[in-house]
Amino acid sequence: MYAEMRAEHGPIVPVELEPGVHGWLVTDYATLISWSRDDTRFSRDPRLWRDLAEGRIAPDSGLLPMMAPRANALFVDGVEHRRYRRAITDGLKEVGVDRLKRATELRAGELIDGFCERGTADVLNEYARMLPLMVINDLFGFDHDQGRRFVEAMRNLWLGIDPERSNTEAEKALAEVVAAKHREPGDDVTTRLIRHPAGLSDEEVIMQLLLVVAAANEPTANLIGSGIRAALADPDLPGDRAPSPTALTDIVDRVLWEDPPITNYPVIYPRADVTLDDGRVIEAGSPILLGFAASNRFFVEENAERMATSRNRAHVAWGVGHHRCPGSDEATAMTVIALRVLFDRLPSLSPALPGEELRWHLSSLSWIPVGFPVHFAPRPPEPRPPEEGEPWNESHSRPETSAPNPSTSGRSPLSYLSAFLARWTHGS
């Protein structure tokens, strides 16, 4: 489809985002990189979106969940962006490689223990989708009750199950986490966001949490799922033992080139009219989708000989420029660890269905299977050593007893998230 679009329109494709709402899609690798780095001509701030500013986007538009202005690092530029991004990167930096590794290995083992005796599992929904949320819960300081409710609420949101109720529960869990960290700070990312010199309000803290935790979870889960499928389909990998860590790293790199977890997002907006080489004009304030999947794939095809003889990690799967995903290294490391633990524990893993029989969720943002069933030789759960550090404790916090920082905006954009997730899951 991308090839047909490029053949008809060239590398910059006019698209209809929803009936009557128009934009553009970048499918060229060099152009995507150039425009993503050009903060003078292009902005990430949806307040520049002309159709929205001039009232042509309906309040119930399906575009608002992924394109409405929000107070987080993805949707602002300049000083605001640097303020939010610094808080996020500083918080993540304190996690450390060893702690991320321990948390991922621990939670991966617990998930595998839940199905290893059956001999069958849906490794997308029972493993790949659950693992990132559980690890992030550990690192962000959720207690057992908050973590359980947030995991369940977010999983239901991604699956489109009762989105309004699920969103309410997710918001409540996050508010309780922030309130609890005001009273009892911990060695976690949430506490560091609250205490950061950027002076984030509680709403800003929650918006950064949603960006890093909620929005980053599904792409990481998709990457883990794609990595499992790619490893099982690779004829050069051993079928009776776990692939080496080097082989798994190469697989993840290949997936990021050929099957990135996000296809056509986020969005940039030109500050002034942009004239293309063929004379067409992208008007100021028009939304331009960044086509990671198409740009990567066409670069690979156009440079097949060079790509076959040398390793190249210059894909755009995590974005480019100042807005490149701040958690990309953590997501990649988590994926490699998740694959290693899974294949170490279940070396006889194999697909339960041929690839052509998988059912898919298709949307403008991603393509992911509905599930990925596998079978393997049943094995008993492994004995677990006592967990180091503080375990999750039951939450006895009451949000009304907290002293939150003041809100910095009128209407909370949290409700946009639930609609976004529901529409993303249902491919509309």
Side-chain angles (χ1 to χ4, degrees):
M1 178 58 69
Y2 286 132
E4 291 178 11
M5 293 163 67
R6 282 169 60 105
E8 182 175 356
H9 300 285
I12 314 300
V13 181
V15 294
E16 191 173 41
L17 305 182
E18 68 178 18
V21 182
H22 298 276
W24 300 80
L25 173 67
V26 180
T27 68
D28 178 69
Y29 178 88
T31 303
L32 187 149
I33 291 177
S34 174
W35 288 7
S36 295
R37 290 175 173 167
D38 190 344
D39 296 332
T40 301
R41 290 198 301 163
F42 299 96
S43 171
R44 303 298 178 104
D45 192 339
R47 289 173 291 189
L48 294 177
W49 185 11
R50 179 174 292 178
D51 285 343
L52 180 64
E54 296 178 357
R56 288 189 288 274
I57 304 300
D60 61 350
S61 167
L63 300 175
L64 289 178
M66 66 177 178
M67 294 173 61
R70 291 193 211 118
N72 69 34
L74 184 62
F75 291 92
V76 295
D77 299 303
V79 175
E80 284 183 287
H81 172 259
R82 289 192 292 272
R83 175 171 169 257
Y84 292 148
R85 186 178 179 92
R86 173 62 66 182
I88 293 172
T89 55
D90 286 351
L92 292 175
K93 181 174 62 178
E94 295 299 319
V95 170
V97 175
D98 290 341
R99 186 176 176 188
L100 175 65
K101 178 176 180 290
R102 289 196 304 271
T104 305
E105 289 176 340
L106 173 67
R107 300 305 173 190
E110 290 178 348
L111 288 170
I112 294 169
D113 285 343
F115 57 73
C116 63
E117 294 181 289
R118 298 202 314 251
T120 62
D122 178 350
V123 287
L124 177 60
N125 292 303
E126 294 185 77
Y127 186 69
R129 274 199 172 134
M130 297 303 297
L131 180 58
L133 274 177
M134 293 177 70
V135 173
I136 292 172
N137 287 343
D138 285 347
L139 304 180
F140 281 68
F142 288 37
D143 69 23
H144 178 77
D145 182 60
Q146 294 159 350
R148 175 185 56 79
R149 289 188 289 117
F150 187 72
V151 166
E152 291 176 356
M154 291 309 302
R155 187 165 190 262
N156 286 339
L157 277 173
W158 290 117
L159 296 175
I161 300 172
D162 200 352
E164 292 303 322
R165 178 179 177 182
S166 298
N167 180 70
T168 298
E169 187 60 31
E171 291 182 25
K172 182 179 178 182
L174 283 180
E176 289 180 13
V177 171
V178 173
K181 294 305 174 182
H182 276 296
R183 293 188 302 273
E184 297 181 15
D187 180 18
D188 52 69
V189 178
T190 302
T191 296
R192 288 190 281 274
L193 286 174
I194 293 170
R195 289 181 162 183
H196 195 270
L200 303 181
S201 72
D202 277 11
E203 180 181 311
E204 290 175 318
V205 171
I206 290 173
M207 291 310 300
Q208 310 323 307
L209 288 175
L210 283 170
L211 173 63
V212 177
V213 180
N217 172 74
E218 188 70 3
T220 305
N222 293 348
L223 182 58
I224 295 172
S226 296
I228 296 171
R229 296 198 314 275
L232 293 177
D234 193 327
D236 296 328
L237 294 181
D240 57 348
R241 63 184 187 278
S244 70
T246 300
L248 293 176
T249 300
D250 289 343
I251 286 172
V252 173
D253 285 340
R254 187 169 75 243
V255 168
L256 288 168
W257 271 110
E258 299 179 357
D259 188 14
I262 299 177
T263 54
N264 305 309
Y265 190 75
V267 184
I268 59 175
Y269 304 87
R271 301 179 190 271
D273 290 357
V274 175
T275 302
L276 303 178
D277 292 341
D278 59 7
R280 292 177 299 167
V281 176
I282 301 178
E283 295 183 347
S286 300
I288 302 173
L289 304 182
L290 300 179
F292 294 155
S295 299
N296 271 352
R297 179 58 69 89
F298 289 124
F299 182 89
V300 171
E301 292 177 356
E302 293 161 4
N303 298 273
E305 184 175 342
R306 182 170 54 156
M307 295 289 289
T309 58
S310 64
R311 298 180 66 180
N312 187 329
R313 294 181 176 175
H315 57 74
V316 294
W318 299 117
V320 179
H322 297 311
H323 285 78
R324 188 178 189 275
C325 174
S328 59
D329 290 343
E330 289 80 1
T332 303
M334 192 185 306
T335 299
V336 173
I337 295 169
L339 298 180
R340 176 177 56 77
V341 174
L342 180 67
F343 286 105
D344 280 346
R345 290 283 306 275
L346 304 174
S348 62
L349 199 71
S350 61
L353 291 175
E356 60 271 17
E357 293 186 19
L358 291 177
R359 294 183 300 120
W360 293 79
H361 286 303
L362 301 176
S363 78
S364 62
L365 302 182
S366 67
W367 48 62
I368 58 174
V370 174
F372 186 52
V374 297
H375 49 67
F376 46 85
R379 305 184 72 166
E382 290 190 345
R384 298 254 152 237
E387 192 175 336
E388 294 183 8
E390 292 186 8
W392 281 358
N393 298 311
E394 292 293 335
S395 172
H396 302 289
S397 61
R398 294 185 299 169
E400 64 273 16
T401 64
S402 66
N405 295 330
S407 171
T408 56
S409 65
R411 179 183 177 188
S412 169
L414 294 178
S415 59
Y416 289 140
L417 178 70
S418 62
F420 169 38
L421 298 177
R423 288 183 174 91
W424 187 354
T425 300
H426 286 98
S428 61

